[in-house]
Amino acid sequence: MKKKLLFAVILIVVSAVIYTSCDKDDDGTGVTSIIVSPADTTVSHSKGTIQYSCVVNYTNGQSIDGTTHVSWGSSDVNTAIISNAGATKGLASTVGSGVTMITASLEGVQGAATLEVSGLRGTAINEYINNYLGSELSSLGWTGAVAGCIAGDISMEAHNKVIQRMNYFRKIVGLPGTITFNAGQTDMCQECALMMKANNSLSHNPPPSWLCYTADGAYAAGGSNIAWGIHSVNAITGYIEDPGANNTGVGHRTWILLPELIAMGDGSTDNTNSIMWKENLGSVPSSAPDYIAYPPNGYIPSSLVFPRWSFSIFEAGFSSATVTMTDDSGNNVSLNIIDRISGYKPDNRIVWEPSGINTSSVTDVTYTVTVANVTNTSQASYTYDVILFKPPTVKTGYQKIKEEKVEFEIR
């Protein structure tokens, strides 16, 4: 009887050892957790690929880069798929709009992060209502004056809405809407805006002879988008349109949509504006799209589709690039390439003006764009769809400025 009991105990111990060893590596160390990066993320449908990685933590306190060791998975392959093959392991490719769980599994332990691929028409409409119409400004609250060269300030609400409108435009091109207000640059931006107003002119290098000249204001002028005739949120939309014979390269648009921009200084008078990008650059976010197009890939209100279209990629070559467009009936759209920019900040780009774009349709209109023969980048050709929709019938401040033919200048 005692022998039988001893034998049973031995069996239990051996079984426990065998069972435990199944959940451990050969050295007896098991996986405790897997941390997936990037963490929960929302990207635009224009973001084609996202490289995931993970850290595997063990019971002995050690951690390793587990990207090539784990098994990757996607809970919804209609939203995104993820590779388990060789050098591309952990590379996710977006498929359509939706939410999926990206998982990394090893030894029965799983780490996960959600990936939301946005771009649905409803999302675009809500963004327009909440963050474009939501950034309309009824009162600037400027406290300055040309008499006495008082730069003053604008209301905090006005500063916040300027940033809100900037983030709206960044989000619709696929960037995170995380630009913040650099309050430390307010005084110099206000002094810059006051100089432009006092001298009824724009200059990135204002001379000391200018009325209300200050060194700080001149410093801001050299690293800002500046506008005369419009201010605050309407100036932001003006920079995105970037009209005028001197702005064929849409540099002001490109500064606002620069992926590595993390903050902006801001200042306005009742008819001038300065938004400062200088000293406000960080690193490119991991969720940034492969390119920046405006109008963007996906849905956009027809009222925000302007004559100049652009496509930019950092350090890409556009000297031999071509642009073709078709409408949703397959007809070719006539266009004229008006500028190719390379060699300096902001990012390299190609700019064109298409003819006959239908911005008055009550139903959605799709234009397919192909930019080909691009060099010094991961692929030579890019194709995307710009879908115009009729926005809610609320006349915005910028639309009124355009309809009333208010004279303004961007520089």
Coordinates of all heavy atoms in Angstrom, one line a residue, residues 254-322:
T254 N 2.4 73.1 -47.2 CA 3.3 72.0 -46.8 C 3.8 72.2 -45.4 O 4.0 71.2 -44.7 CB 4.4 71.9 -47.9 OG1 3.8 72.0 -49.2 CG2 5.2 70.6 -47.7
W255 N 4.1 73.4 -45.0 CA 4.5 73.6 -43.6 C 3.5 73.1 -42.6 O 3.8 72.5 -41.6 CB 4.9 75.1 -43.3 CG 6.3 75.4 -43.7 CD1 6.6 76.3 -44.7 CD2 7.5 74.9 -43.2 NE1 8.0 76.4 -44.8 CE2 8.6 75.6 -43.9 CE3 7.8 74.0 -42.2 CZ2 9.9 75.3 -43.6 CZ3 9.1 73.7 -41.9 CH2 10.2 74.4 -42.6
I256 N 2.2 73.5 -42.8 CA 1.1 73.1 -41.9 C 1.0 71.6 -41.9 O 0.7 71.0 -40.9 CB -0.2 73.8 -42.3 CG1 -0.1 75.3 -42.0 CG2 -1.4 73.1 -41.6 CD1 -1.3 76.1 -42.4
L257 N 1.2 70.9 -43.0 CA 1.0 69.5 -43.2 C 2.3 68.7 -43.0 O 2.4 67.5 -43.4 CB 0.3 69.1 -44.5 CG -1.0 69.8 -44.7 CD1 -1.6 69.4 -46.1 CD2 -2.0 69.5 -43.6
L258 N 3.4 69.3 -42.5 CA 4.7 68.7 -42.4 C 4.6 67.6 -41.3 O 4.2 67.9 -40.1 CB 5.8 69.7 -42.0 CG 7.2 69.2 -42.1 CD1 7.6 68.9 -43.5 CD2 8.1 70.2 -41.5
P259 N 4.9 66.3 -41.6 CA 4.7 65.3 -40.6 C 5.4 65.5 -39.2 O 4.8 65.2 -38.2 CB 5.2 64.0 -41.3 CG 5.0 64.3 -42.7 CD 5.3 65.8 -42.9
E260 N 6.6 66.1 -39.2 CA 7.3 66.3 -38.0 C 7.0 67.5 -37.2 O 7.6 67.8 -36.2 CB 8.8 66.2 -38.3 CG 9.4 67.2 -39.2 CD 9.5 66.7 -40.7 OE1 8.6 66.0 -41.1 OE2 10.5 66.9 -41.3
L261 N 6.0 68.3 -37.7 CA 5.6 69.5 -36.9 C 4.9 69.0 -35.6 O 4.0 68.2 -35.7 CB 4.7 70.3 -37.8 CG 4.3 71.7 -37.2 CD1 5.5 72.6 -37.2 CD2 3.2 72.3 -38.1
I262 N 5.3 69.6 -34.5 CA 4.7 69.2 -33.2 C 3.9 70.3 -32.5 O 3.1 70.1 -31.6 CB 5.7 68.6 -32.3 CG1 6.8 69.6 -32.0 CG2 6.3 67.3 -32.8 CD1 7.9 69.1 -31.0
A263 N 4.2 71.6 -32.9 CA 3.6 72.7 -32.3 C 3.6 73.9 -33.2 O 4.2 73.8 -34.3 CB 4.3 73.1 -31.0
M264 N 2.9 75.0 -32.8 CA 2.9 76.2 -33.6 C 2.8 77.4 -32.7 O 2.0 77.4 -31.7 CB 1.7 76.2 -34.6 CG 2.0 75.6 -36.0 SD 3.1 76.7 -37.0 CE 2.9 75.9 -38.6
G265 N 3.5 78.4 -33.0 CA 3.3 79.7 -32.4 C 2.2 80.4 -33.2 O 2.0 80.1 -34.3
D266 N 1.5 81.3 -32.6 CA 0.4 82.0 -33.2 C 0.2 83.4 -32.8 O 0.3 83.7 -31.6 CB -0.9 81.1 -33.0 CG -2.2 81.8 -33.4 OD1 -2.2 82.3 -34.6 OD2 -3.1 81.9 -32.7
G267 N -0.1 84.3 -33.7 CA -0.4 85.7 -33.4 C -1.2 86.3 -34.5 O -1.1 86.0 -35.7
S268 N -2.2 87.2 -34.1 CA -3.0 87.9 -35.1 C -3.3 89.3 -34.7 O -3.4 89.6 -33.5 CB -4.3 87.1 -35.3 OG -4.2 86.0 -36.1
T269 N -3.6 90.1 -35.6 CA -4.3 91.4 -35.4 C -5.6 91.2 -36.1 O -6.0 90.1 -36.5 CB -3.5 92.6 -36.0 OG1 -3.6 92.5 -37.5 CG2 -2.1 92.6 -35.6
D270 N -6.4 92.3 -36.2 CA -7.7 92.1 -36.9 C -7.6 92.0 -38.4 O -8.6 91.7 -39.0 CB -8.6 93.3 -36.5 CG -8.0 94.7 -36.9 OD1 -6.9 94.7 -37.5 OD2 -8.6 95.7 -36.6
N271 N -6.4 92.0 -39.0 CA -6.3 91.7 -40.4 C -4.9 91.1 -40.8 O -4.6 91.1 -42.0 CB -6.6 92.9 -41.3 CG -5.5 94.0 -41.3 OD1 -4.7 94.0 -40.3 ND2 -5.4 94.7 -42.3
T272 N -4.2 90.6 -39.9 CA -2.9 89.9 -40.2 C -2.7 88.7 -39.3 O -3.4 88.6 -38.3 CB -1.7 90.9 -40.0 OG1 -1.7 91.4 -38.7 CG2 -1.7 92.0 -41.0
N273 N -1.8 87.8 -39.7 CA -1.6 86.6 -38.9 C -0.1 86.2 -39.1 O 0.5 86.4 -40.2 CB -2.5 85.5 -39.4 CG -2.1 84.1 -38.7 OD1 -1.5 83.3 -39.3 ND2 -2.5 84.0 -37.5
S274 N 0.4 85.6 -38.1 CA 1.7 84.9 -38.1 C 1.6 83.6 -37.4 O 1.2 83.6 -36.2 CB 2.8 85.8 -37.4 OG 3.9 85.1 -37.1
I275 N 1.8 82.5 -38.1 CA 1.9 81.2 -37.4 C 3.4 80.7 -37.5 O 3.9 80.6 -38.7 CB 0.9 80.2 -37.8 CG1 1.0 79.9 -39.3 CG2 -0.5 80.6 -37.4 CD1 0.3 78.6 -39.7
M276 N 4.0 80.4 -36.4 CA 5.4 80.1 -36.4 C 5.7 78.6 -36.4 O 5.4 78.0 -35.4 CB 6.1 80.9 -35.3 CG 7.6 80.9 -35.3 SD 8.2 82.0 -34.0 CE 10.0 81.7 -34.1
W277 N 6.4 78.1 -37.4 CA 6.8 76.7 -37.4 C 8.2 76.5 -36.9 O 8.6 75.5 -36.5 CB 6.7 76.1 -38.8 CG 7.1 77.0 -39.9 CD1 6.3 77.7 -40.7 CD2 8.5 77.3 -40.3 NE1 7.1 78.4 -41.6 CE2 8.4 78.2 -41.4 CE3 9.7 76.8 -39.9 CZ2 9.5 78.6 -42.1 CZ3 10.9 77.3 -40.6 CH2 10.8 78.2 -41.6
K278 N 9.0 77.6 -37.0 CA 10.4 77.5 -36.5 C 10.5 77.1 -35.1 O 9.7 77.6 -34.2 CB 11.1 78.9 -36.7 CG 12.6 78.9 -36.6 CD 13.2 80.2 -37.0 CE 14.7 80.2 -37.0 NZ 15.3 81.5 -37.5
E279 N 11.5 76.2 -34.8 CA 11.7 75.7 -33.4 C 10.6 74.8 -32.9 O 10.5 74.5 -31.8 CB 11.9 76.8 -32.4 CG 13.1 77.7 -32.7 CD 13.2 78.9 -31.7 OE1 12.4 79.0 -30.8 OE2 14.1 79.7 -31.9
N280 N 9.7 74.3 -33.9 CA 8.6 73.5 -33.5 C 8.6 72.1 -34.2 O 7.5 71.6 -34.4 CB 7.3 74.2 -33.8 CG 7.0 75.4 -32.8 OD1 7.2 75.2 -31.6 ND2 6.7 76.6 -33.3
L281 N 9.7 71.7 -34.6 CA 9.8 70.4 -35.3 C 10.3 69.3 -34.4 O 11.2 69.5 -33.6 CB 10.7 70.5 -36.5 CG 10.4 71.6 -37.5 CD1 11.3 71.6 -38.7 CD2 8.9 71.5 -38.0
G282 N 9.7 68.1 -34.5 CA 10.2 66.9 -33.8 C 10.5 65.8 -34.7 O 11.1 66.0 -35.8
S283 N 10.1 64.6 -34.4 CA 10.3 63.4 -35.2 C 9.0 63.1 -36.0 O 7.9 63.4 -35.5 CB 10.8 62.2 -34.4 OG 9.8 61.9 -33.4
V284 N 9.1 62.4 -37.1 CA 8.0 61.9 -37.8 C 7.2 60.9 -37.0 O 7.8 59.9 -36.6 CB 8.4 61.4 -39.2 CG1 7.2 60.8 -40.0 CG2 9.1 62.4 -40.0
P285 N 5.9 61.0 -36.8 CA 5.2 60.0 -36.0 C 5.1 58.7 -36.8 O 5.1 58.6 -38.0 CB 3.8 60.6 -35.9 CG 3.7 61.6 -37.0 CD 5.0 62.1 -37.2
S286 N 5.1 57.6 -36.0 CA 5.1 56.3 -36.6 C 3.8 56.0 -37.5 O 3.8 55.2 -38.4 CB 5.2 55.2 -35.5 OG 4.1 55.3 -34.6
S287 N 2.8 56.7 -37.2 CA 1.5 56.5 -37.9 C 1.4 57.5 -39.1 O 0.3 57.5 -39.7 CB 0.3 56.7 -36.9 OG 0.3 58.0 -36.4
A288 N 2.4 58.2 -39.4 CA 2.3 59.1 -40.6 C 2.1 58.4 -41.8 O 2.6 57.2 -42.0 CB 3.6 60.0 -40.6
P289 N 1.4 58.9 -42.8 CA 1.1 58.2 -44.1 C 2.4 58.2 -44.9 O 3.4 58.9 -44.6 CB 0.1 59.1 -44.7 CG 0.2 60.4 -44.1 CD 0.6 60.2 -42.7
D290 N 2.4 57.4 -45.9 CA 3.6 57.2 -46.8 C 3.8 58.5 -47.6 O 4.9 58.7 -48.2 CB 3.5 56.0 -47.7 CG 3.4 54.7 -46.9 OD1 4.0 54.7 -45.8 OD2 2.6 53.8 -47.3
Y291 N 2.8 59.3 -47.8 CA 2.9 60.5 -48.6 C 1.8 61.5 -48.0 O 0.9 61.1 -47.3 CB 2.6 60.3 -50.1 CG 1.3 59.6 -50.4 CD1 0.1 60.4 -50.5 CD2 1.2 58.2 -50.5 CE1 -1.1 59.8 -50.8 CE2 0.0 57.6 -50.8 CZ -1.2 58.4 -50.9 OH -2.4 57.8 -51.1
I292 N 2.0 62.8 -48.4 CA 1.0 63.8 -48.0 C 0.4 64.3 -49.3 O 1.2 64.9 -50.1 CB 1.6 64.9 -47.2 CG1 2.3 64.4 -45.9 CG2 0.6 66.0 -46.9 CD1 1.3 63.8 -44.9
A293 N -0.8 64.1 -49.5 CA -1.5 64.6 -50.7 C -2.6 65.6 -50.2 O -3.3 65.4 -49.2 CB -2.1 63.5 -51.5
Y294 N -2.7 66.7 -51.0 CA -3.9 67.6 -50.8 C -4.4 68.0 -52.1 O -3.6 68.5 -52.9 CB -3.5 68.8 -49.9 CG -4.8 69.4 -49.4 CD1 -5.3 69.1 -48.2 CD2 -5.5 70.4 -50.2 CE1 -6.5 69.7 -47.7 CE2 -6.7 70.9 -49.7 CZ -7.2 70.6 -48.5 OH -8.4 71.1 -48.1
P295 N -5.7 67.8 -52.4 CA -6.7 67.1 -51.5 C -6.2 65.6 -51.2 O -5.5 65.0 -52.0 CB -8.0 67.1 -52.3 CG -7.8 68.1 -53.4 CD -6.3 68.2 -53.6
P296 N -6.7 65.1 -50.1 CA -6.1 63.8 -49.7 C -6.8 62.6 -50.3 O -7.9 62.7 -50.9 CB -6.3 63.8 -48.2 CG -7.6 64.6 -48.0 CD -7.5 65.7 -49.1
N297 N -6.2 61.5 -50.1 CA -6.8 60.2 -50.4 C -8.0 60.0 -49.5 O -7.9 60.1 -48.2 CB -5.8 59.1 -50.1 CG -6.4 57.7 -50.4 OD1 -7.4 57.5 -51.1 ND2 -5.7 56.7 -49.9
G298 N -9.2 59.8 -50.1 CA -10.4 59.6 -49.3 C -11.4 60.8 -49.4 O -11.3 61.6 -50.4
Y299 N -12.3 60.9 -48.4 CA -13.4 61.9 -48.5 C -12.9 63.3 -48.0 O -12.2 63.4 -47.1 CB -14.5 61.4 -47.6 CG -15.3 60.2 -48.1 CD1 -14.9 58.9 -47.7 CD2 -16.3 60.4 -49.1 CE1 -15.6 57.8 -48.2 CE2 -16.9 59.3 -49.6 CZ -16.6 58.0 -49.1 OH -17.3 56.9 -49.6
I300 N -13.4 64.3 -48.8 CA -13.1 65.7 -48.4 C -14.3 66.5 -48.8 O -14.9 66.3 -49.9 CB -11.8 66.2 -49.1 CG1 -11.5 67.6 -48.6 CG2 -11.8 66.0 -50.6 CD1 -10.1 68.1 -49.1
P301 N -14.6 67.5 -48.0 CA -15.7 68.4 -48.4 C -15.3 69.2 -49.6 O -14.2 69.7 -49.8 CB -15.8 69.4 -47.2 CG -15.1 68.7 -46.0 CD -14.1 67.8 -46.6
S302 N -16.2 69.3 -50.6 CA -15.9 69.9 -51.9 C -15.6 71.4 -51.7 O -14.8 71.9 -52.5 CB -17.1 69.8 -52.8 OG -18.3 70.3 -52.2
S303 N -16.0 72.0 -50.6 CA -15.7 73.4 -50.4 C -14.2 73.6 -50.0 O -13.7 74.8 -50.0 CB -16.6 74.0 -49.3 OG -16.4 73.3 -48.1
L304 N -13.5 72.5 -49.6 CA -12.1 72.6 -49.2 C -11.2 72.1 -50.3 O -10.0 71.8 -50.0 CB -11.9 71.9 -47.9 CG -12.6 72.6 -46.7 CD1 -12.4 71.8 -45.4 CD2 -12.3 74.0 -46.5
V305 N -11.7 71.9 -51.5 CA -10.9 71.5 -52.6 C -10.6 72.7 -53.4 O -11.5 73.4 -54.0 CB -11.7 70.4 -53.5 CG1 -10.9 70.1 -54.8 CG2 -11.9 69.2 -52.7
F306 N -9.3 73.0 -53.5 CA -8.8 74.3 -54.1 C -8.2 74.0 -55.4 O -7.9 72.9 -55.8 CB -7.9 75.0 -53.1 CG -8.5 75.3 -51.7 CD1 -8.0 74.7 -50.6 CD2 -9.7 76.1 -51.7 CE1 -8.6 75.0 -49.3 CE2 -10.3 76.3 -50.4 CZ -9.7 75.8 -49.3
P307 N -7.9 75.1 -56.2 CA -7.3 74.9 -57.5 C -6.0 74.1 -57.6 O -5.8 73.4 -58.5 CB -7.2 76.3 -58.0 CG -8.2 77.1 -57.3 CD -8.3 76.5 -56.0
R308 N -5.2 74.3 -56.5 CA -3.9 73.6 -56.6 C -3.9 72.3 -55.8 O -4.2 72.3 -54.6 CB -2.8 74.6 -56.0 CG -2.6 75.8 -56.9 CD -1.7 76.9 -56.4 NE -1.5 77.9 -57.3 CZ -1.1 79.1 -57.1 NH1 -0.7 79.4 -55.8 NH2 -1.0 80.1 -58.0
W309 N -3.5 71.3 -56.5 CA -3.3 70.0 -55.9 C -1.9 69.7 -55.7 O -1.0 70.1 -56.5 CB -4.0 68.9 -56.7 CG -5.5 69.0 -56.9 CD1 -6.2 70.2 -57.0 CD2 -6.4 68.0 -56.9 NE1 -7.5 69.9 -57.1 CE2 -7.7 68.5 -57.0 CE3 -6.3 66.6 -56.8 CZ2 -8.9 67.8 -57.1 CZ3 -7.5 65.8 -56.9 CH2 -8.8 66.4 -57.0
S310 N -1.5 68.9 -54.6 CA -0.1 68.7 -54.3 C 0.1 67.3 -53.8 O -0.8 66.7 -53.2 CB 0.4 69.7 -53.3 OG -0.3 69.7 -52.1
F311 N 1.3 66.8 -53.9 CA 1.7 65.5 -53.4 C 3.2 65.6 -53.0 O 4.0 66.1 -53.7 CB 1.6 64.5 -54.6 CG 2.0 63.1 -54.3 CD1 1.0 62.2 -53.9 CD2 3.3 62.6 -54.3 CE1 1.4 60.8 -53.6 CE2 3.7 61.3 -54.0 CZ 2.7 60.4 -53.7
S312 N 3.5 65.2 -51.7 CA 4.8 65.4 -51.2 C 5.3 64.2 -50.4 O 4.5 63.5 -49.8 CB 4.8 66.6 -50.2 OG 4.1 66.4 -49.1
I313 N 6.6 64.0 -50.5 CA 7.3 62.9 -49.8 C 8.7 63.5 -49.4 O 9.4 64.0 -50.3 CB 7.5 61.6 -50.6 CG1 6.1 61.0 -51.0 CG2 8.3 60.6 -49.8 CD1 6.2 59.8 -51.9
F314 N 9.1 63.3 -48.2 CA 10.4 63.7 -47.8 C 11.5 63.2 -48.7 O 11.7 62.0 -48.9 CB 10.7 63.4 -46.4 CG 12.0 63.7 -45.8 CD1 12.4 65.0 -45.7 CD2 13.0 62.7 -45.5 CE1 13.7 65.4 -45.2 CE2 14.2 63.0 -45.0 CZ 14.6 64.4 -44.9
E315 N 12.3 64.1 -49.3 CA 13.5 63.7 -50.1 C 13.2 62.9 -51.4 O 14.1 62.4 -52.0 CB 14.6 63.0 -49.3 CG 15.2 63.9 -48.2 CD 16.4 63.3 -47.5 OE1 16.5 62.1 -47.6 OE2 17.2 64.0 -46.9
A316 N 11.9 62.8 -51.7 CA 11.6 62.1 -53.0 C 12.0 63.0 -54.2 O 12.0 64.2 -54.0 CB 10.1 61.7 -53.0
G317 N 12.2 62.3 -55.3 CA 12.5 63.1 -56.5 C 11.3 63.2 -57.4 O 10.7 62.2 -57.8
F318 N 11.0 64.4 -57.8 CA 9.8 64.7 -58.7 C 10.2 65.3 -60.0 O 9.4 65.8 -60.8 CB 8.8 65.6 -57.9 CG 8.2 64.9 -56.8 CD1 8.6 65.2 -55.5 CD2 7.2 63.9 -56.9 CE1 8.0 64.6 -54.4 CE2 6.6 63.3 -55.8 CZ 7.0 63.7 -54.6
S319 N 11.5 65.4 -60.3 CA 11.9 66.1 -61.5 C 11.4 65.5 -62.8 O 11.1 66.1 -63.8 CB 13.5 66.2 -61.6 OG 14.0 64.9 -61.6
S320 N 11.2 64.1 -62.8 CA 10.6 63.4 -64.0 C 9.2 62.9 -63.7 O 8.7 62.1 -64.5 CB 11.6 62.3 -64.4 OG 12.8 62.8 -64.7
A321 N 8.6 63.2 -62.6 CA 7.3 62.7 -62.2 C 6.2 63.2 -63.1 O 6.3 64.3 -63.7 CB 7.0 63.1 -60.8
T322 N 5.2 62.3 -63.3 CA 4.1 62.6 -64.1 C 2.8 62.5 -63.2 O 2.8 61.8 -62.2 CB 3.9 61.7 -65.3 OG1 3.8 60.3 -64.8 CG2 5.1 61.8 -66.2

